[in-house]
Amino acid sequence: MPVLIEIQDPSSPLAKILVPQDAPTLRDLLRARIHHEVTAHNQHLPELFTGLVQPEESEQILNGFRLTHKRPLDADRQFTQACDAFARNGFLVLAGDRQITDLDAPLNAGEPIQFLKLTPLIGG
């Protein structure tokens, strides 16, 4: 039975996402989130992508990533980049009151999930 998980991320239009597994892990949630973001982007092909991780051939701007040219994104490639970013501490994930440090950590139904992007400080 699919599990509905609440996502708290001010940079994402997602509020809740349906994960198809009964006992989802962070990897399952990340795959579902990336698939949703890429599908929404590919429907309209805007110049700005507001997903979790930066696509190739784009520049980071204030509210997302500006693509060098309008094009569809590959969900599998974005998912791989998201897993790599998580491993490099490019973003943190909090589930309830605990930090998730393993992509295969189980998530509990009903606990809010927060994605926190880490941004390096300039000049210091």
Side-chain angles (χ1 to χ4, degrees):
M1 179 172 166
V3 174
L4 187 64
I5 295 179
E6 180 182 351
I7 294 177
Q8 297 174 348
D9 181 350
S11 68
S12 174
L14 298 173
K16 295 184 181 183
I17 192 163
L18 193 62
V19 180
Q21 287 76 11
D22 287 339
T25 64
L26 177 56
R27 186 181 308 272
D28 299 327
L29 174 62
L30 194 55
R31 180 176 283 119
R33 176 184 174 155
I34 296 297
H35 178 75
H36 186 279
E37 289 175 349
V38 169
T39 299
H41 171 83
N42 289 347
Q43 287 177 345
H44 304 288
L45 296 179
E47 286 183 25
L48 182 66
F49 178 68
T50 56
L52 182 62
V53 294
Q54 183 171 358
E56 295 176 341
E57 299 178 19
S58 68
E59 67 173 313
Q60 186 169 2
I61 59 173
L62 182 62
N63 294 319
F65 307 101
R66 181 178 294 130
L67 300 171
T68 55
H69 58 280
K70 291 183 181 184
R71 63 183 166 83
L73 298 176
D74 181 314
D76 292 332
R77 178 172 270 157
Q78 283 297 105
F79 174 68
T80 299
Q81 287 180 297
C83 291
D84 292 344
F86 180 78
R88 292 187 326 271
N89 294 321
F91 60 91
L92 300 176
V93 179
L94 303 176
D97 60 355
R98 64 190 168 104
Q99 181 178 344
I100 304 294
T101 58
D102 180 3
L103 283 172
D104 295 314
L107 302 174
N108 300 322
E111 69 183 349
I113 307 296
Q114 294 180 323
F115 286 82
L116 304 171
K117 291 184 191 179
L118 304 177
T119 305
L121 297 175
I122 297 174

